[in-house]
């Protein structure tokens, strides 16, 4: 069964035990947006932890406070995270984020299929 939530900045769907997360076009992520996204994600998850596949395509910039929040208290109920990039900027952002995710298995991928495989094996 597929359950989805969408807002102005992102869309999230639970499917086959994985939470798929995609940003909308040209998002400039600040702390308030990050907090709203996490609130929507937690509501979708209904208290259950999931591995997350986060497609970074569409993310234009990220404020440091937003990254700190997402890597800390904003990572509640995440079992593992796969960050998928398609541009050099997205790759740089994902590597920055990965360094701060000390307690959650986190990997960076250039291919969606490899990211899914990582998450399926982390379950």
């Amino acid at each position: 069964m597929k359950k989805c939530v969408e807002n102005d900045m992102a869309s999230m769907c639970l499917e086959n035990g994985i939470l798929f997360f995609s940003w909308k076009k040209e998002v400039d992520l600040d702390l308030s947006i990050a907090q709203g996204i996490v609130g929507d994600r937690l509501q979708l998850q209904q208290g259950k932890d999931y591995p997350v596949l986060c497609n970074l395509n569409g993310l234009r910039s990220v404020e440091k406070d937003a990254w700190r929040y997402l890597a800390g208290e904003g990572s509640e109920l995440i079992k593992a995270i796969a960050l998928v990039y398609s541009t050099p900027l997205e790759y740089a952002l994902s590597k920055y984020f990965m360094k701060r995710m000390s307690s959650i298995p986190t990997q960076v991928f250039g291919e969606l299929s490899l990211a899914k495989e990582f998450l399926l094996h982390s379950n």
Side-chain angles (χ1 to χ4, degrees):
M1 183 167 90
K2 185 175 181 178
K3 294 182 350 184
C4 298
V5 169
E6 190 166 336
N7 59 35
D8 292 343
M9 300 295 157
S11 63
M12 298 165 249
C13 290
L14 285 171
E15 187 174 4
N16 299 323
I18 296 175
L19 191 148
F20 293 88
F21 183 98
S22 297
W23 293 101
K24 300 283 177 94
K25 297 273 184 212
E26 300 184 6
V27 172
D28 295 310
L29 185 62
D30 63 18
L31 181 58
S32 65
I33 292 171
Q35 290 170 330
I37 293 287
V38 169
D40 288 347
R41 179 181 60 75
L42 292 174
Q43 186 174 22
L44 177 64
Q45 290 180 246
Q46 297 179 351
K48 186 174 179 198
D49 59 345
Y50 287 94
V52 175
L53 191 152
C54 181
N55 186 338
L56 297 174
N57 190 4
L59 195 57
R60 185 169 53 186
S61 68
V62 182
E63 290 182 1
K64 284 184 182 180
D65 288 344
W67 271 135
R68 286 186 193 115
Y69 171 76
L70 291 173
E73 66 184 281
S75 62
E76 180 181 351
L77 296 179
I78 295 178
K79 290 168 81 170
I81 188 163
L83 301 168
V84 180
Y85 70 91
S86 59
T87 68
L89 174 61
E90 293 166 4
Y91 178 76
L93 290 172
S94 61
K95 291 304 251 184
Y96 177 85
F97 185 70
M98 188 176 154
K99 289 178 185 177
R100 280 138 188 87
M101 294 297 290
S102 58
S103 64
I104 298 172
T106 305
Q107 292 291 322
V108 176
F109 299 93
E111 293 183 35
L112 191 64
S113 60
L114 296 174
K116 284 183 191 176
E117 190 173 318
F118 164 72
L119 293 176
L120 288 172
H121 288 82
S122 69
N123 258 337

